[in-house]
Amino acid sequence: IHHDLSPHNHNIPSPAPPIPSTNGPSSIHTSLDDHVVPYKKMVRYRECLKNHTAAMGGNATDGCGEFMPSGEEGNIEALNCSACNCHTNFHRKEIEGEPSSRDCYHSPQHINRIG
């Protein structure tokens, strides 16, 4: 095994020098007004879709029409519905600005007619 004990020359590129601005002393502004806050979409949980008879091969929901949190926002209790006691995951999620399953419709040409 041969080990080279001579020092190695590594070329490390330096960053490019700043380009002077022609718009005055500085063309870069950093203030709170320049920062854009992303738009947070509103999420609502609608009717409960939990199938209470799935183990027996049936399909029955409890009729809960909209999620109502059991506790204060930020608490674990807020994830359960006070009306049906189900978790938010069982409720239909509706996101503002996105199409939901209720917005879909079938045109007459896709409906099979008998007779």
Side-chain angles (χ1 to χ4, degrees):
I1 298 176
H2 175 71
H3 291 48
D4 187 11
L5 300 176
S6 64
H8 296 283
N9 291 329
H10 295 285
N11 291 331
I12 301 173
S14 62
I19 299 171
S21 172
T22 59
N23 295 340
S26 175
S27 64
I28 300 173
H29 302 287
T30 54
S31 70
L32 293 176
D33 295 336
D34 292 338
H35 295 279
V36 177
V37 178
Y39 177 70
K40 188 173 181 178
K41 294 182 178 181
M42 178 71 114
V43 175
R44 294 184 72 178
Y45 294 94
R46 296 298 188 165
E47 67 273 4
C48 184
L49 302 174
K50 183 176 181 178
N51 184 0
H52 294 277
T53 60
M56 295 182 284
N59 187 11
T61 57
D62 58 18
C64 178
E66 187 165 346
F67 178 80
M68 294 184 292
S70 294
E72 294 289 324
E73 185 177 340
N75 291 339
I76 192 86
E77 294 86 20
L79 297 175
N80 290 334
C81 180
S82 62
C84 65
N85 204 30
C86 291
H87 193 272
T88 55
N89 291 345
F90 288 107
H91 288 259
R92 183 176 60 88
K93 187 176 185 179
E94 190 176 80
I95 302 172
E96 178 186 14
E98 292 185 9
S100 68
S101 60
R102 293 205 181 261
D103 295 337
C104 297
Y105 64 91
H106 298 285
S107 62
Q109 62 190 2
H110 289 82
I111 298 174
N112 292 331
R113 293 187 178 176
I114 300 173

